[in-house]
Amino acid sequence: MDTILELRGVTKRFGSLVANREIDLTVKKGTIHAVVGENGAGKSTLMNIISGVHRLDDGEIFLEGKPVNFRSPTEASKAGIGMVHQEFMLFPELTILDNIMMGYERTGKLGLLDRRQVRAEVEELLRTYNFNIPLDELAREQPVAMLQQIEIVKILYRGANILIFDEPTSVLTPAGVEGLFRAMRFLVSKGKTILFITHKLKEVLQVADEITVLKEGAVVGHTTPAETSEEQMASMMVGRNVMLKANKLKKDRGRPILQVTDLQARNDNGIVKLKHVNLTVHAGEIVGIAGVAGSGQVELVQCLYGLRAPESGAILLDGDDITRASCREHRCKGIGLVPQDRMADGCNRAAPIWENCIMGYHIAHGFRSKWLIDRGEAETFAQRVVDEFSVKASSLNEPISSLSGGNVQKAIVGREFLQENKLLIMEDPTRGIDIGAIEFIWKKIEELAASGVAVLLVSQELNEVMEVSDRIEVIYDGQLYDGGLHGELTEAQIGLLMTGGVEDAAEK
Amino acid sequence: MRLKNKSELLLETLKYVLAFTAVAVIGAALISFQGAAPGEAYAAILQGICGSASAIGNTIRWITPCIFTGIAATVAFRSGVMNLGIEGQLYVGAFAATLVGLYAELPGWLLPLACLLAGSLSGLLFALIPAVIKLVFRIDEMITTLMLNYVALWVTEYFTKIVKGASANNNSKAMATPVIQESAELTTLVPRTNASTGIFIALLLVAVVFVIYRFTKVGYEMKQVGENLRFARVGGVRTTRMFISIFLLSGFIAGLCGAVEILGVYGKFTPSFANNIGWDGIMISMIAKNSPVGVALASMLWGALKAGALQMERVTSTNRLTVELIQAMFVLFVTIDYRRLWGKWKDRQPRKRTAGKGKEGGIC
Amino acid sequence: MLNTLLGTVTLAATLRLATPLIFAAVGGCFGNRAGVFNIALESFMLTSAFFATYGTWLTANPYVGVLFGILAGVLCAALFGLFVFHLESDGMVVSIAMNLGAWGLTTLMMVALFGVRGSFMDERLVSLPALHFSILEPLGKVNGVLNDQNVLVYLAFVAVAVMWVVMYQTPFGLRLRGVGINARAAQTSGVNILAYKWVSTIITGVFCGVAGAVLPIGGTSVFAENMTAGRGFLAVAAILVGQGNPLLAAASCLLFAYASALSVGIQNLGIPSQLVETLPYVATILVLLIYGARNLKHVSKISR
């Protein structure tokens, strides 16, 4: 097989930080080449260099033997390199057709858009590659899997021969992942080349032809699925021998803290997202909720935390009815929340660390005075958060945005854990942070539950739910299904529940 | 605003010095354009600021409303409430204060107090309209407050005409209410000037707002709401209640400003008397970066320039609007984000093009 | 009463009064769609109005005046763009400073160049001629409304149509909207965000230039201090209601203008002039309320 893309000594710096260090990479035509590494290993930066988003500081790139140096994504695209970004680069308010042709329009008379011409070309592509996309609908009305297909068709329309997929599976259901892999293999069979970035090792073994492992911005190994295993890749990625395993502690299950009965709720568009949800979380118990994004997790958490008024049903906290209580009352009654979007909901990036650390604490648990904020007391508490959750910060007065993602998350988790809550709700508490921080947070969750706090863990990482939870519930289409106790069901069985295969799973 | 280190302090100082110099040069050009000598005009401005006892009095007179409107704007903007209706709220407050000052029969200090209360409460009620529209209809308060400014302007003129009675002609320049009762007026500080005890109310306000922001939970919440509303809501801040209270507080202060202007300076309500003082407040709060102490300092500069401008117009052939234009330019220069600009420039030096602007250390 | 509401005079006045609003709103739609926060239209218009007056006065030719107006509008837009796109200033701060500065500048220039304050009239300040279409004559009321308006009134409607096509049927318009919806996505599609923001702002400037020129030389032949009197803000409101669509924005402009036009007739009914003057602003708020009423169903969900 011919080499289509070759990188030699590619280096990229952001200020004093070296994101990519002398990377060599050879990609063969017609293969699926996986680039793996943990968060922050420099995978995305590398792909951004190849696709012209960033410019390299040192090194060379050869495309089909010829040296290239892209100054913009457009140049890369003209040379046949296209990227499906992790966050979709789409325009929700435009039709799918307009989305696909953006930047690469065809014009007819008077320089007006020739949508008919574009449509003919796109429909040809859809036929060739077996996609089924409604071109005249708005992008915002499409499910996630469809958005991803639009992205793929978009770069095919631009004439891409090398397709880069940046963490494409993180937003998909297990069935969606299967579909994507089928599409990837089909594309390769038609002569395209795929670069596949991921940190999910199972998927790599499943789909890749070649594997390159990155660590701290440098290549640490090159292998193929036949030669390696998950464990081996994991130790290459982290540099030590870790597999993410939660260390389960022995806990005493206490009285029921959270009792949800027959909860029903709609989302902002009036669609029913929760149907007759019943849920109980006991003191000293970690209940994990697994599910595909958009199954109603968001609405469930919003209802439990007073951010959304349920239509019917009741929520009891330690016997108290909190169905229609406000966020503030929730806080005061002892519910903490680690929100999913840590930058939008979890912290105020403009504010110093100490101000971020006392949010909630200032009303619910701390400060002797009803009106005043005691700076000393505030700083003591903030210092406790920083110390006990090993947040790497130079000063409490630094803005929290100066910390890395993992440290911000540790500060948020610390803030919620150190308040004397009865119930703690967590949404994707370890998303996008490095393995060290994940292990740390998992350990803290265990300790917290062991101390008698009820924990509700909502996560899109199935692995996380399975490892950390004492009891698993699966949410599908607004309903909860029993996912058994820790280790009771296999990943495949839970995966089936997540996609609505209730009967099949129940049989086993 | 907490300054982290010396270099930052230097940068801040440099910024103001630069802006001031640039504006002085442009101002000189504008003045000579009008056929006056810049030196003479600047001397006149200085003289108008502190050349005599009455000059100082006039400076104080102009600082007072600047502080009020500056604080009204700061309170709102710091919490992300885009109240551009300070001008309108001020008119409504001023008119209400005038009415009470004309007709209420109250003994002693109760009368001015009633006037001040009437003014500020009317400002508050007028601010209630856009606040409710925002909460119920989700219409941006920015555009509604802008429109309501004009409504306030015309409606107060209409009521002025009613108060004045049949003898009123329609020329708004000549139209005014009768003068309020003498017992309603605020005490004059400097004889034969319009400097009144209103300045003490203004300074008290600065102190109160400073204390609220610095030491109280409410102040902490007000800041968080402005910087990240969603974070504050999840954290347990009653954001809707907060929004309404801040809007009303801002209107209250604007109305109070109108009342003080009437009681301390004009003595009667003249339609469109305020001449954009509400907008000045917004500019001041922007220069002061929404810090109450900063507002007090910026107001001193602003008020002094206003007082000086009048003197300049009296002594030279220069129009006082020159100063208004200069002030607008000063705002433009000062609010340039020099630090980000500097960062961008530095990034560009060693290598061309890096990541998109304003992104935080995103490697992945 | 009906004659006031739907009379020829009122409707003709509606078209005349709508013209500056429509120009400003149509231009402003482009900035709005490109994601540029700009409430400085007021200052663009006021400055243009002054320079249109000046150009006309210099040459006694209103078309030169319009050109001056456009030039002034573009310069204002360039100043705005310089501060917002390159000097990292906040769009609102720049807008407010420019709005206040324009008031100062135009009044100052009026004193310096014409030697008057308040308002300026001169025989050299010639208005744009009215166009007469003889084919409209037999149409009675339609004739009375549509005929004998100045050329910019007709152009305003042409502009709406043309700019609608530009916005929705050209690559330029598509990319411009792309920039406003998702700038990063547009960038990865090879669209130069900065260029599009600049072009859209300049378009705003050009159209506000024409809008400003309409005021002094669109029939009245007078320039007055702060002549725009909030029309720039009305245009911003129209853009908001029309969600950046030139057609819808123009429609709301017509509505606001109708409210102003009514004031002429209503005054004769004995309603005080001051209250009548508030009509366009109140109408704007009412339109916003109707537009916002669709949000009502969410009221129950306002977080506590």
Side-chain angles (χ1 to χ4, degrees):
Chain A
M1 273 182 282
D2 305 335
T3 296
I4 187 166
L5 181 74
E6 191 177 357
L7 273 63
R8 284 190 209 146
V10 168
T11 300
K12 175 74 192 171
R13 284 177 283 263
F14 292 103
S16 59
L17 189 92
V18 185
N20 286 154
R21 192 190 312 270
E22 298 188 9
I23 290 194
D24 296 328
L25 183 69
T26 308
V27 182
K28 295 195 191 97
K29 191 172 164 60
T31 58
I32 298 178
H33 193 123
V35 176
V36 297
E38 65 169 322
N39 291 301
K43 308 183 295 274
S44 288
T45 306
L46 187 64
M47 295 307 127
N48 279 329
I49 290 173
I50 296 174
S51 63
V53 176
H54 295 327
R55 299 198 63 186
L56 45 78
D57 294 331
D58 276 313
E60 291 166 300
I61 302 177
F62 297 91
L63 186 66
E64 289 172 332
K66 288 186 281 292
V68 288
N69 185 5
F70 304 126
R71 275 168 303 191
S72 71
T74 319
E75 285 186 15
S77 160
K78 282 203 184 103
I81 297 176
M83 178 148 161
V84 176
H85 293 265
Q86 192 173 5
E87 38 179 317
F88 296 137
M89 293 297 175
L90 293 170
F91 308 93
E93 285 86 3
L94 299 182
T95 64
I96 295 176
L97 189 68
D98 283 357
N99 263 288
I100 291 173
M101 70 175 168
M102 175 71 73
Y104 298 80
E105 304 85 355
R106 306 278 184 270
T107 52
K109 284 185 300 244
L110 297 168
L112 299 186
L113 289 172
D114 190 347
R115 289 199 169 90
R116 200 181 298 171
Q117 170 72 25
V118 177
R119 180 186 300 272
E121 287 177 34
V122 173
E123 279 175 349
E124 176 67 37
L125 280 174
L126 296 185
R127 266 193 302 278
T128 313
Y129 294 102
N130 265 333
F131 288 110
N132 189 8
I133 297 177
L135 294 178
D136 293 312
E137 289 176 18
L138 296 183
R140 67 153 180 259
E141 292 160 354
Q142 309 304 318
V144 183
M146 179 62 83
L147 296 179
Q148 194 166 53
Q149 290 187 25
I150 298 170
E151 285 280 11
I152 297 172
V153 172
K154 190 167 89 182
I155 57 175
L156 289 173
Y157 168 75
R158 294 176 187 173
N161 284 317
I162 301 176
L163 289 82
I164 303 172
F165 287 80
D166 189 0
E167 303 272 2
T169 59
S170 58
V171 290
L172 297 178
T173 64
V177 172
E178 262 318 304
L180 174 70
F181 286 172
R182 235 177 294 128
M184 283 166 70
R185 289 197 198 96
F186 191 68
L187 285 166
V188 169
S189 75
K190 292 268 176 181
K192 305 283 183 195
T193 307
I194 290 177
L195 268 165
F196 173 46
I197 305 173
T198 186
H199 66 274
K200 293 181 183 163
L201 304 175
K202 223 170 255 140
E203 294 172 353
V204 175
L205 295 179
Q206 213 178 329
V207 78
D209 299 313
E210 308 265 337
I211 302 167
T212 299
V213 184
L214 288 191
K215 185 193 154 212
E216 287 164 7
V219 174
V220 289
H222 183 86
T223 176
T224 62
E227 296 165 4
T228 188
S229 66
E230 265 185 77
E231 286 77 9
Q232 201 186 346
M233 277 194 286
S235 64
M236 270 158 91
M237 272 164 64
V238 190
R240 59 197 159 103
N241 210 344
V242 289
M243 273 301 282
L244 271 175
K245 285 257 183 276
N247 186 17
K248 299 296 287 178
L249 299 175
K250 201 174 165 301
K251 291 175 287 243
D252 301 318
R253 195 166 113 163
R255 66 185 191 285
I257 294 290
L258 177 73
Q259 285 167 291
V260 179
T261 41
D262 208 22
L263 193 69
Q264 212 76 256
R266 292 171 190 271
N267 70 1
D268 288 339
N269 298 324
I271 299 164
V272 177
K273 287 301 251 182
L274 292 178
K275 301 168 186 164
H276 309 290
V277 168
N278 291 295
L279 175 70
T280 307
V281 184
H282 300 83
E285 182 186 38
I286 305 171
V287 173
I289 295 190
V292 177
S295 301
Q297 300 97 322
V298 175
E299 289 76 13
L300 177 63
V301 172
Q302 286 174 337
C303 286
L304 294 182
Y305 197 69
L307 287 160
R308 178 176 297 278
E311 277 196 331
S312 62
I315 305 170
L316 300 185
L317 179 77
D318 215 359
D320 273 353
D321 187 358
I322 55 162
T323 315
R324 299 193 179 271
S326 67
C327 279
R328 195 187 190 88
E329 288 166 278
H330 279 74
R331 280 238 172 246
C332 296
K333 290 201 155 92
I335 302 184
L337 174 71
V338 176
Q340 184 180 52
D341 192 334
R342 63 171 164 268
M343 281 310 175
D345 298 318
C347 72
N348 172 4
R349 54 165 64 203
I353 293 169
W354 76 265
E355 282 185 20
N356 273 290
C357 284
I358 61 166
M359 178 52 83
Y361 179 76
H362 78 290
I363 18 185
H365 310 284
F367 301 114
R368 282 175 296 273
S369 158
K370 190 162 183 252
W371 302 103
L372 300 180
I373 284 194
D374 179 337
R375 266 300 275 279
E377 211 182 321
E379 272 168 26
T380 313
F381 182 73
Q383 195 62 51
R384 257 185 78 202
V385 171
V386 167
D387 291 345
E388 291 182 28
F389 284 78
S390 55
V391 179
K392 289 193 199 87
S394 55
S395 147
L396 291 177
N397 284 319
E398 288 283 311
I400 198 156
S401 57
S402 66
L403 303 182
S404 72
N407 279 311
V408 172
Q409 188 69 2
K410 282 195 268 187
I412 295 169
V413 169
R415 171 184 81 212
E416 301 297 329
F417 280 27
L418 288 181
Q419 300 184 36
E420 289 127 27
N421 286 319
K422 292 178 191 162
L423 169 68
L424 202 86
I425 303 171
M426 281 181 283
E427 282 178 281
D428 288 328
T430 59
R431 187 157 81 164
I433 60 179
D434 57 272
I435 290 186
I438 294 178
E439 279 187 313
F440 183 85
I441 288 175
W442 282 8
K443 193 179 107 214
K444 286 289 179 183
I445 296 175
E446 279 296 326
E447 287 171 12
L448 186 76
S451 74
V453 176
V455 177
L456 183 66
L457 169 72
V458 181
S459 177
Q460 289 173 30
E461 290 279 349
L462 182 52
N463 184 37
E464 178 166 65
V465 175
M466 296 194 58
E467 282 296 326
V468 180
S469 315
D470 298 322
R471 190 156 61 77
I472 298 167
E473 296 275 354
V474 179
I475 190 164
Y476 170 73
D477 193 24
Q479 290 179 308
L480 284 184
Y481 298 93
D482 184 9
L485 296 176
H486 179 76
E488 209 175 320
L489 294 188
T490 65
E491 194 169 334
Q493 286 169 315
I494 290 181
L496 208 53
L497 282 171
M498 282 164 64
T499 48
V502 187
E503 292 79 18
D504 307 22
E507 279 168 20
K508 286 167 189 168
Chain B
M1 242 315 91
R2 191 179 257 264
L3 294 170
K4 256 175 267 153
N5 50 38
K6 265 189 187 157
S7 73
E8 215 159 300
L9 186 71
L10 194 75
L11 201 70
E12 284 288 295
T13 323
L14 201 68
K15 178 170 104 179
Y16 284 95
V17 171
L18 257 173
F20 205 85
T21 322
V23 157
V25 171
I26 298 174
L30 280 172
I31 290 164
S32 19
F33 174 66
Q34 293 172 62
E40 211 175 298
Y42 284 150
I45 291 183
L46 252 169
Q47 202 193 354
I49 295 170
C50 54
S52 61
S54 68
I56 292 172
N58 268 326
T59 305
I60 293 175
R61 175 258 172 277
W62 283 112
I63 290 174
T64 313
C66 285
I67 293 181
F68 277 117
T69 53
I71 293 285
T74 293
V75 166
F77 291 161
R78 183 151 169 159
S79 300
V81 176
M82 292 293 132
N83 179 11
L84 300 184
I86 294 171
E87 185 91 354
Q89 290 142 17
L90 187 152
Y91 277 117
V92 173
F95 188 79
T98 312
L99 279 188
V100 175
L102 277 172
Y103 303 119
E105 285 171 20
L106 287 166
W109 52 268
L110 272 178
L111 185 58
L113 191 69
C115 289
L116 292 176
L117 263 181
S120 36
L121 288 177
S122 321
L124 178 149
L125 285 177
F126 198 61
L128 188 63
I129 302 172
V132 167
I133 290 180
K134 165 74 177 253
L135 289 180
V136 176
F137 293 91
R138 305 260 120 173
I139 303 289
D140 205 325
E141 69 272 21
M142 203 159 57
I143 205 79
T144 46
T145 49
L146 274 173
M147 296 295 122
L148 286 168
N149 279 340
Y150 293 94
V151 174
L153 201 66
W154 288 110
V155 169
T156 50
E157 183 174 324
Y158 168 65
F159 282 116
T160 309
K161 198 175 145 194
I162 289 187
V163 169
K164 182 95 193 233
S167 67
N169 64 4
N170 247 337
N171 181 353
S172 60
K173 291 253 160 56
M175 198 178 351
T177 61
V179 177
I180 56 169
Q181 305 165 56
E182 206 169 314
S183 59
E185 283 173 11
L186 294 175
T187 316
T188 304
L189 281 184
V190 184
R192 275 171 286 110
T193 69
N194 284 322
S196 73
T197 43
I199 187 74
F200 297 126
I201 306 178
L203 290 174
L204 183 70
L205 191 67
V206 171
V208 168
V209 173
F210 173 80
V211 167
I212 288 177
Y213 280 140
R214 190 72 212 248
F215 299 110
T216 68
K217 291 182 182 176
V218 177
Y220 167 76
E221 292 187 352
M222 283 164 89
K223 177 171 183 279
Q224 307 303 326
V225 164
E227 288 173 352
N228 186 350
L229 182 72
R230 287 171 58 179
F231 167 63
R233 181 182 303 147
V234 169
V237 178
R238 287 179 282 230
T239 46
T240 308
R241 193 187 290 191
M242 191 64 119
F243 175 84
I244 280 260
S245 329
I246 286 163
F247 217 139
L248 297 187
L249 180 62
S250 182
F252 182 91
I253 299 171
L256 182 62
C257 177
V260 168
E261 283 289 277
I262 296 299
L263 303 188
V265 181
Y266 296 99
K268 61 182 180 183
F269 185 87
T270 321
S272 39
F273 73 94
N275 248 325
N276 285 338
I277 200 90
W279 289 104
D280 279 319
I282 293 176
M283 296 211 280
I284 287 167
S285 86
M286 280 164 177
I287 297 178
K289 293 203 177 133
N290 295 338
S291 112
V293 177
V295 165
L297 294 175
S299 297
M300 281 159 84
L301 180 69
W302 230 241
L305 280 175
K306 272 186 181 300
L310 289 170
Q311 175 71 10
M312 178 182 74
E313 191 173 50
R314 236 172 280 141
V315 179
T316 70
S317 59
T318 317
N319 192 301
R320 73 186 154 84
L321 284 168
T322 314
V323 169
E324 210 148 294
L325 189 57
I326 288 175
Q327 285 175 324
M329 280 190 278
F330 184 69
V331 173
L332 283 181
F333 288 132
V334 166
T335 52
I336 292 173
D337 196 332
Y338 290 95
R339 200 179 317 160
R340 213 202 265 175
L341 213 58
W342 171 243
K344 233 166 79 169
W345 187 77
K346 260 201 321 204
D347 273 358
R348 213 171 283 178
Q349 283 318 294
R351 33 200 129 263
K352 291 268 181 215
R353 274 180 65 131
T354 50
K357 66 175 181 186
K359 260 197 316 186
E360 248 96 30
I363 341 160
C364 216
Chain C
M1 186 68 193
L2 192 69
N3 210 21
T4 312
L5 289 179
L6 286 171
T8 312
V9 181
T10 310
L11 294 183
T14 303
L15 291 190
R16 201 179 61 245
L17 294 169
T19 304
L21 294 182
I22 289 177
F23 272 115
V26 166
C29 280
F30 279 76
N32 174 279
R33 272 301 175 87
V36 180
F37 180 86
N38 182 350
I39 52 168
L41 304 192
E42 180 83 4
S43 71
F44 293 12
M45 279 175 79
L46 185 56
T47 316
S48 303
F50 176 80
F51 281 99
T53 310
Y54 183 59
T56 311
W57 179 74
L58 275 182
T59 59
N61 180 343
Y63 295 102
V64 175
V66 174
L67 272 183
F68 267 61
I70 291 176
L71 203 66
V74 169
L75 283 177
C76 285
L79 186 71
F80 180 88
L82 173 71
F83 274 95
V84 175
F85 304 143
H86 296 285
L87 300 179
E88 308 282 343
S89 294
D90 180 68
M92 189 171 81
V93 186
V94 176
S95 293
I96 290 176
M98 281 184 72
N99 287 340
L100 288 182
W103 188 338
L105 179 77
T106 51
T107 312
L108 206 66
M109 300 278 277
M110 192 158 85
V111 176
L113 295 174
F114 305 139
V116 291
R117 267 205 83 163
S119 61
F120 173 67
M121 270 177 281
D122 192 278
E123 56 186 18
R124 294 165 61 82
L125 193 52
V126 189
S127 274
L128 290 159
L131 295 191
H132 186 79
F133 299 95
S134 36
I135 45 164
L136 287 173
E137 271 168 24
L139 291 174
K141 191 165 173 177
V142 176
N143 178 48
V145 175
L146 287 182
N147 219 342
D148 298 312
Q149 299 272 18
N150 79 58
V151 57
L152 289 179
V153 175
Y154 303 109
L155 265 181
F157 291 92
V158 176
V160 173
V162 170
M163 294 322 269
W164 184 84
V165 171
V166 170
M167 181 85 90
Y168 293 102
Q169 301 298 335
T170 65
F172 169 78
L174 179 67
R175 294 176 187 189
L176 182 97
R177 286 181 290 142
V179 169
I181 296 171
N182 185 347
R184 275 194 65 199
Q187 194 175 23
T188 57
S189 303
V191 178
N192 185 339
I193 301 172
L194 190 63
Y196 273 79
K197 291 201 164 181
W198 257 112
V199 172
S200 70
T201 304
I202 295 296
I203 291 178
T204 308
V206 169
F207 278 78
C208 285
V210 181
V214 177
L215 298 174
I217 55 175
T220 52
S221 294
V222 64
F223 178 82
E225 194 175 321
N226 196 27
M227 186 167 205
T228 43
R231 284 186 182 83
F233 296 135
L234 285 176
V236 171
I239 295 165
L240 193 75
V241 174
Q243 293 175 304
N245 180 334
L247 275 182
L248 297 178
S252 6
C253 289
L254 278 172
L255 206 65
F256 302 162
Y258 178 68
S260 306
L262 272 187
S263 58
V264 185
I266 280 186
Q267 227 157 322
N268 298 334
L269 297 174
I271 297 173
S273 65
Q274 287 89 356
L275 295 188
V276 170
E277 292 278 5
T278 64
L279 259 182
Y281 310 108
V282 173
T284 308
I285 294 175
L286 288 179
V287 169
L288 285 169
L289 288 186
I290 296 165
Y291 159 79
R294 68 198 161 86
N295 294 327
L296 273 179
K297 58 179 182 206
H298 296 314
V299 167
S300 60
K301 298 198 185 84
I302 291 176
S303 67
R304 286 143 296 172

